[in-house]
Amino acid sequence: MKFKLSVITLALAGFSSGAMAFDFGVTAAAQGATQITEKWKCKSCVSESSKVGSAGVEMGSMDSDDNHAANTLKYQDGFAAGVNADLAYYDNGHRTEVIADDLGSEQGSISVSTGKLGVWGVKASFDEKSHYDADNAQSVWTSNDGQFVENEDLVTQELSLKRDRYQLEADYTLDRYAGYVNYSIEDKTGKKATSMSNGGINAINLAAPVDTRTQNLSAGINLNGDNWFSEINYRGSVFENNIHALSLENSEYPNASQAADNQAHFVSILGNYRFDKSYLTGRLVGGNMKQDSNVITLAGTPTPEHSNDVEVETLDANFKASSLVAKGLRINASLDYSDRDNSTEVNEYEQYQYNTVTGEMVENSVYDITRTVYKVSASYNLARGQRVEAGFDRIDTERSAQDREKTDDNVVWAQWRANSFDKWDLRLKGSYSDKGGSSFLYDDAVANNETELMLKYHLADKKSSKAEVFVTHTPLDNLAISLNGYYSIDDYTNTDIGLVESENMGYDISVNWQITDTFNLSGDGGYQWIDNQQASAKNDYSNYWQSNTNEEFGFIGVGFDFTGLADYGVIIGGHYSYALSFSDTDVDSQDVFGLFESTSHNASVFVDYALSTSMTVGLRYEIERYEDNDDTYLPVNNYPGTAPTGLKTLGELNHDYTAHLVMANFRYQF
């Protein structure tokens, strides 16, 4: 039985009863299940009760041999049930609200709030999200809290993560004073793919356990006047990892440390003031970030005397000003300052070096970073319904103990917006940026390490250009068309090694056509191309190589709803979407990594029947056909010459399935 409700969730529900392929998300349109009651709702009627909204339950069956389908269809194989609600109760200025969305599924949530409008309010919520990567990972190694034990035979394991988030919120307002406090706990559990190396040619992929908890707290007090606002607030988070290290029993592999426990605390002061034609805003934030954990030695022994304590002091400031200096002309300016002062103690640690265990001691590096951003822009009304904007941004960044101490980015941009043309809304935007900085500082070890140099592309000189166009056209009163196109190119002009050029282009289009008063048709689609070019060091022409990576993503969707039988209480709707993505990399025109490709077809249809103005029953059917293929996936054990020497994998984790979901629902409209 796949109807999942925790004890806390049941408590919330009890209280409320008293009161892949690459998917851009655009095609995830609502299936229209909630539309039927809106069609039947009496807009001019006044209910004798103070309850408004709806509540319902759906039950059915999911047929799938791959849990990956639950990422889209929200249920695993077998019986499926969920609760949906959007209820509000009013009583003498008090409001109580209950919202549930697919509660009981793999992507369910519920919230309950109550309070007096404009005075006080409290809210409790629960949100559950599960994500499935693969249910056929195979390994002889199984984990118990990070301690891996070797089995005689391969064991099939599931790679999935589950996130449960519980949150409490409260706010209070008295005249011009207001305060709020929010607290949440987020638990994440499951397994994810990871890898370990013995420092030589042997490497192994594992299904590593995940068991973390993150607590967040925010609170603030604000005061406002007729033309001003001020606030002081606190934000803090604490991250705890119950898996501190991974170790393999009786193995040549050294222990691998995991994400360390850490916490962050920030205090902010902010405010704004509005004049007749101008306004000012400002914010000052001071913070502290700490990481507190023992170092895990190569032998797997925690060393409290050499704890890996990390501490960073942060300071952020922001100031913005805007003024209407003349009719139709507004000037904007802002200054952002960010400083990260790393006060971590410097120690010596044993480390693995590339391709060998040296045994030598290596000191940790302490990085400081300061960034200042200056922005100025102006907007001017050319004519009624036409506006032009232009601006200049300057970003200065200083880093310590890195290969380039200073970088500077200069960005100019402009855009034109026009909505005065009959049936047209247009927007054009373009930008150009130039990144430079101080000379690079290399030591001998890094200068001879091609891999290290290729990881420093974010510090390199770069010239970037970008253009965007947005068009909305309504050729008919019942037809609307929207188009968004974009193109950008990053040119690493002075780069001899690493990323040389990156190109990104694509478009999105959507259409909505109200064919008749009772039949509506909508559609959307898009495509994106990303091309990256890389090159190796030219100081060794015997090993010089060039690489091109091409990625493409696309989607298309169409949906309809028919209300021509509404007089008989019947609403019909449906939706279809298709998404694809693939990636290919060649080195010196040779396809050495193979192809990644994924495709997804998703179709749904629903029929709702109104038993009365307050009760509706319905039937919904969904199907997903999903397939992906990654040539980099390899069998667990490989024959010599068919895979990298010494590598053991989790197997071929591709997906190829067809999933069906049938749900019957009942909904009551208050």
Side-chain angles (χ1 to χ4, degrees):
M1 179 175 176
K2 300 298 187 295
F3 183 64
K4 308 188 306 178
L5 290 176
S6 67
V7 174
I8 295 182
T9 309
L10 286 171
L12 286 172
F15 173 63
S16 67
S17 64
M20 359 253 210
F22 187 93
D23 187 352
F24 286 78
V26 180
T27 59
Q31 307 303 310
T34 61
Q35 295 178 356
I36 185 170
T37 51
E38 292 297 323
K39 301 288 184 180
W40 276 73
K41 187 187 299 182
C42 178
K43 303 295 184 180
S44 60
C45 299
V46 178
S47 173
E48 294 182 358
S49 71
S50 53
K51 302 184 188 72
V52 295
S54 64
V57 60
E58 60 178 7
M59 292 182 293
S61 178
M62 174 75 164
D63 180 16
S64 174
D65 58 3
D66 192 325
N67 285 339
H68 187 272
N71 295 337
T72 302
L73 302 183
K74 300 184 179 182
Y75 293 97
Q76 294 188 41
D77 183 64
F79 176 73
V83 175
N84 293 281
D86 188 355
L87 290 171
Y89 176 75
Y90 299 89
D91 182 22
N92 295 324
H94 291 78
R95 173 187 171 95
T96 299
E97 187 176 47
V98 180
I99 298 177
D101 183 20
D102 294 321
L103 183 63
S105 73
E106 301 294 318
Q107 317 287 338
S109 64
I110 183 174
S111 66
V112 181
S113 60
T114 188
K116 187 173 182 179
L117 297 177
V119 180
W120 63 271
V122 293
K123 180 179 180 180
S125 60
F126 168 76
D127 183 83
E128 176 186 10
K129 295 291 183 291
S130 297
H131 183 81
Y132 297 89
D133 287 324
D135 56 11
N136 60 339
Q138 292 187 315
S139 175
V140 296
W141 295 97
T142 56
S143 170
N144 180 20
D145 294 334
Q147 307 295 318
F148 282 88
V149 178
E150 188 173 15
N151 300 271
E152 294 183 359
D153 301 315
L154 292 174
V155 178
T156 300
Q157 303 173 61
E158 181 178 79
L159 301 179
S160 65
L161 293 175
K162 177 184 177 183
R163 175 186 64 78
D164 291 336
R165 181 182 177 89
Y166 306 88
Q167 185 162 329
L168 294 173
E169 305 172 53
D171 64 82
Y172 183 79
T173 302
L174 178 62
D175 297 327
R176 295 189 172 187
Y177 298 89
Y180 64 89
V181 58
N182 302 323
Y183 174 72
S184 67
I185 297 178
E186 181 176 301
D187 293 326
K188 184 179 291 186
T189 56
K191 289 185 178 181
K192 65 177 182 179
T194 191
S195 60
M196 295 178 65
S197 171
N198 71 342
I201 64 173
N202 293 333
I204 186 171
N205 294 338
L206 300 167
V210 175
D211 186 3
T212 66
R213 166 169 286 191
T214 303
Q215 300 180 70
N216 291 289
L217 175 65
S218 62
I221 299 175
N222 56 67
L223 174 64
N224 65 84
D226 294 335
N227 57 351
W228 59 273
F229 173 86
S230 63
E231 178 176 304
I232 180 170
N233 62 57
Y234 162 82
R235 292 180 295 112
S237 67
V238 177
F239 172 81
E240 298 171 298
N241 191 352
N242 293 321
I243 310 294
H244 292 103
L246 303 180
S247 63
L248 274 63
E249 183 182 53
N250 301 322
S251 170
E252 62 177 336
Y253 290 88
N255 287 22
S257 61
Q258 298 299 285
D261 295 349
N262 61 79
Q263 55 184 291
H265 306 275
F266 304 94
V267 176
S268 305
I269 300 175
L270 57 94
N272 63 64
Y273 192 93
R274 181 175 294 275
F275 299 92
D276 183 30
K277 296 182 179 180
S278 306
Y279 65 85
L280 305 173
T281 64
R283 181 186 62 179
L284 182 65
V285 185
N288 175 273
M289 299 185 293
K290 288 184 179 181
Q291 173 182 297
D292 184 10
S293 64
N294 295 329
V295 172
I296 306 297
T297 67
L298 299 181
T301 305
T303 57
E305 66 276 9
H306 285 134
S307 60
N308 188 21
D309 295 339
V310 177
E311 184 168 3
V312 178
E313 302 291 340
T314 70
L315 177 63
D316 295 272
N318 169 271
F319 178 78
K320 296 180 181 179
S322 179
S323 180
L324 186 65
V325 297
K327 184 179 180 180
L329 177 62
R330 178 170 289 276
I331 303 296
N332 308 294
S334 68
L335 171 66
D336 286 276
Y337 175 82
S338 174
D339 181 68
R340 301 292 181 266
D341 182 11
N342 195 329
S343 57
T344 303
E345 182 180 353
V346 177
N347 292 309
E348 291 183 333
Y349 303 96
E350 55 182 357
Q351 290 186 354
Y352 271 120
Q353 296 287 11
Y354 185 65
N355 282 339
T356 183
V357 179
T358 65
E360 66 183 20
M361 305 302 288
V362 180
E363 289 185 345
N364 60 301
S365 297
V366 176
Y367 301 119
D368 297 331
I369 184 169
T370 302
R371 179 177 288 110
T372 307
V373 182
Y374 311 88
K375 294 183 179 181
V376 61
S377 65
S379 62
Y380 181 70
N381 294 330
L382 294 175
R384 183 178 180 183
Q386 293 191 49
R387 174 182 290 267
V388 62
E389 297 178 70
F392 171 76
D393 304 343
R394 166 81 178 194
I395 306 172
D396 291 329
T397 306
E398 295 186 18
R399 304 172 179 86
S400 68
Q402 297 191 46
D403 295 288
R404 200 176 199 184
E405 294 181 345
K406 296 181 179 181
T407 58
D408 52 77
D409 296 78
N410 297 286
V411 184
V412 291
W413 60 270
Q415 72 172 357
W416 171 69
R417 174 76 181 269
N419 55 18
S420 58
F421 301 112
D422 186 28
K423 300 180 179 180
W424 290 91
D425 189 345
L426 308 174
R427 183 158 67 95
L428 302 176
K429 184 176 182 179
S431 64
Y432 174 80
S433 64
D434 188 349
K435 182 176 184 176
S438 59
S439 300
F440 280 85
L441 306 174
Y442 293 127
D443 56 36
D444 293 337
V446 174
N448 294 321
N449 190 327
E450 182 177 273
T451 302
E452 289 289 334
L453 291 174
M454 294 189 69
L455 295 176
K456 302 181 185 301
Y457 67 90
H458 64 288
L459 299 175
D461 291 349
K462 180 178 68 173
K463 299 182 184 297
S464 301
S465 301
K466 184 175 183 179
E468 297 177 272
V469 57
F470 304 86
V471 179
T472 299
H473 182 43
T474 54
L476 302 171
D477 292 340
N478 60 343
L479 178 63
I481 304 171
S482 296
L483 172 67
N484 171 31
Y486 53 91
Y487 174 83
S488 66
I489 183 170
D490 295 333
D491 185 6
Y492 295 83
T493 52
N494 299 322
T495 295
D496 294 324
I497 176 173
L499 188 60
V500 176
E501 183 180 278
S502 179
E503 194 174 23
N504 180 9
M505 70 182 78
Y507 67 88
D508 303 318
I509 187 171
S510 63
V511 179
N512 190 80
W513 186 16
Q514 187 73 43
I515 300 176
T516 68
D517 291 340
T518 60
F519 186 69
N520 185 78
L521 184 66
S522 61
D524 53 21
Y527 212 86
Q528 182 181 18
W529 297 264
I530 300 175
D531 297 322
N532 295 318
Q533 298 180 19
Q534 298 183 76
S536 68
K538 295 182 180 179
N539 54 9
D540 183 3
Y541 283 94
S542 62
N543 294 319
Y544 179 69
W545 54 264
Q546 290 182 306
S547 172
N548 295 311
T549 301
N550 305 304
E551 298 176 288
E552 297 184 23
F553 313 100
F555 71 97
I556 188 171
V558 60
F560 78 94
D561 66 83
F562 178 66
T563 61
L565 300 175
D567 291 342
Y568 302 96
V570 177
I571 302 292
I572 302 173
H575 188 266
Y576 167 79
S577 64
Y578 170 73
L580 67 88
S581 69
F582 65 85
S583 176
D584 191 19
T585 300
D586 64 77
V587 178
D588 292 335
S589 301
Q590 300 294 319
D591 189 1
V592 296
F593 296 109
L595 177 71
F596 169 81
E597 183 176 10
S598 67
T599 59
S600 172
H601 299 264
N602 187 285
S604 65
V605 62
F606 73 89
V607 178
D608 284 349
Y609 177 69
L611 299 174
S612 66
T613 57
S614 59
M615 291 186 291
T616 302
V617 294
L619 188 65
R620 174 167 56 94
Y621 170 71
E622 289 190 58
I623 180 175
E624 182 186 34
R625 176 74 181 100
Y626 182 87
E627 182 179 5
D628 63 28
N629 182 68
D630 190 344
D631 289 342
T632 61
Y633 284 144
L634 300 170
V636 178
N637 298 304
N638 306 284
Y639 294 102
T642 63
T645 303
L647 175 65
K648 291 186 179 295
T649 75
L650 293 173
E652 299 177 87
L653 306 181
N654 298 311
H655 301 279
D656 185 1
Y657 64 84
T658 301
H660 305 267
L661 176 66
V662 179
M663 301 291 283
N665 64 74
F666 171 81
R667 186 169 59 258
Y668 186 86
Q669 183 80 22
F670 293 90

